[in-house]
Amino acid sequence: MKASPTQVRVEVLRKLDCYQPSVSQSPSPEAWRCSPRDGRPFWAERLQSHFRDNCYHYPVVLDPDGSPWQEANRYLLSRLADISPISHRTLESIAGDLAHFRQWQLDDDIDFLNVPGRPRARPTYRYCAFLHDLVGFHTIKASTAKRRMSTVQNFYRWLEHDGVRFPHPLWVESDTRLSFKDAKGLQHQRQVKSTDLTRSFRTARQSHDFSEYLEDGGKLRPLPKDEQIALVEALQRIGNTEMTLAFLLALTTGARLQTIFTLRSKHVASPPRDGTVSKRIKVGHGTLINTKYGKQMTLLVPVWLYTRLQIYSQSPRRLQRVAKSQHTYPEVDEQYLFLTRAGQPYYMATSDPFAFLYRSPPRGNAVTQFIHQQLMPNLNQHGHDFTFRFHDLRASFGMNLVESLLDQHSERHATDEQRPEFFQTLMYVRERMGHSQLSTTEGYLNYRKKFKIASHLQSEFESFLEQIVKEE
């Protein structure tokens, strides 16, 4: 959406070089001389307090007149000094929240640095009330309001750290205990700081016991076997080789979109060993292949599919697309396995050296367009009315794996001696899915059990109603 001239907006710089002014008589060799029209010349030195000399896709918050909002932009710059590198998407999200806060200030003529004695007149409480109004009118979700409030709180904390002194508290802070499960499924509690502002956005937890969705990095819907078959048949009818191979990879490995479309040709170069049923491909940090949070794991690609990927990597169709690519990598085999007809990546890796050339690097939009413009219409034409997202294929793989393993070790007939074997099954599913928390894997087991119970009860009730109608 294009912002009007009267709105605060976020502009993204493709590349930001970080420097600091210096009047040193012996500047470093990399420094360059600045000669302003008015004032003394100075040197621009690399910013030593930051871990990175530059940042790609750096967001800047601009006021309606086009001038940068100084405090917000200095806060964003300070985030580059974090020990844990912040992603440009996270930084852009923070900038968007601050832009929303700034727009509210200008619309209501509020000085965000003026903190009066009356608590409800302070800018933090007034902005919190404004967010509650937006939630009440269903303009935004409570979770969005809570995130924006948290961003503003962190901004004010930085202002205080930066030397700004406020005469009155900006919120009431207290200690609270947070319950969570560790990677092994053990329950723990941790003491955290909480404020009356963010606590005000608590919502009643909804029950999803018999929902058709499960939680795995978002709400996912595992596709039943008949829908998976219909999906593959539709892909074969359409004949898009890249999409067919990518969808099959998702269904057989559970890999996310960002992982599949950042595979390089070198990852399918080595032949599988004789007698093996799958080929191992390492993904994550250090492999050029993106995963969520860079987590390292191994994909087990069925040999029959891996062989097709090898054939495709050397096919005239792919080589024509490679020839159209404007990006030349240090090694030829570091080119993406899947490219669009124009030679562009479907999803550009975060470490890609050419990412700065794009204001918004490709993030799978072409895949989403394919689903809506070609795949769904084809399914509808052949009598299928279900909808899905690419990420649902990951959940479908997870449920296929769970069903297959539990058919071998049924919970109904499990004895105490078989329990350890069942736990090993759970751990295997977790490893294949790359779950950091065991509770996420347990969600697949609970989904299978609860959804089947709900379906069975509904079926029995419908049969009961049908029998009553027949008797009449």
Side-chain angles (χ1 to χ4, degrees), residues 2 22 38 82 112 192 194-195 281 312 320 345-346 408 420 445:
K2 188 175 180 181
S22 171
D38 300 319
D82 292 346
F112 73 102
V192 296
S194 176
T195 73
I281 299 180
Y312 171 73
Q320 288 176 1
Y346 286 95
Q408 302 174 32
L445 300 177

Side-chain angles (χ1 to χ4, degrees), residues 144-212:
T144 302
K146 185 173 183 178
R147 188 202 70 224
R148 286 177 175 170
M149 194 70 252
S150 180
T151 297
V152 169
Q153 285 183 169
N154 290 333
F155 172 58
Y156 273 106
R157 287 191 179 104
W158 173 83
L159 285 171
E160 290 185 309
H161 179 76
D162 195 52
V164 180
R165 295 290 176 262
F166 297 105
H168 304 284
L170 294 160
W171 51 75
V172 177
E173 195 169 84
S174 59
D175 294 329
T176 185
R177 302 194 73 83
L178 178 68
S179 297
F180 66 97
K181 288 185 178 181
D182 63 14
K184 296 181 180 179
L186 301 177
Q187 192 77 24
H188 294 276
Q189 284 192 338
R190 182 176 61 192
Q191 187 167 302
V192 296
K193 294 291 184 181
S194 176
T195 73
D196 56 339
L197 298 177
T198 53
R199 282 198 305 269
S200 67
F201 293 105
R202 285 181 177 175
T203 55
R205 179 175 294 180
Q206 298 180 353
S207 173
H208 300 291
D209 284 352
F210 302 109
S211 169
E212 62 176 339

Side-chain angles (χ1 to χ4, degrees), residues 361-379:
R363 288 290 183 264
N365 293 337
V367 181
T368 303
Q369 289 177 1
F370 170 78
I371 291 174
H372 291 293
Q373 297 177 5
Q374 296 188 54
L375 193 49
M376 294 307 305
N378 191 286
L379 285 167

Side-chain angles (χ1 to χ4, degrees), residues 44-61:
E45 299 265 17
R46 284 292 184 186
L47 203 54
Q48 300 300 321
S49 60
H50 288 59
F51 288 97
R52 289 183 285 178
D53 293 333
N54 53 61
C55 178
Y56 296 121
H57 306 107
Y58 180 82
V60 178
V61 182

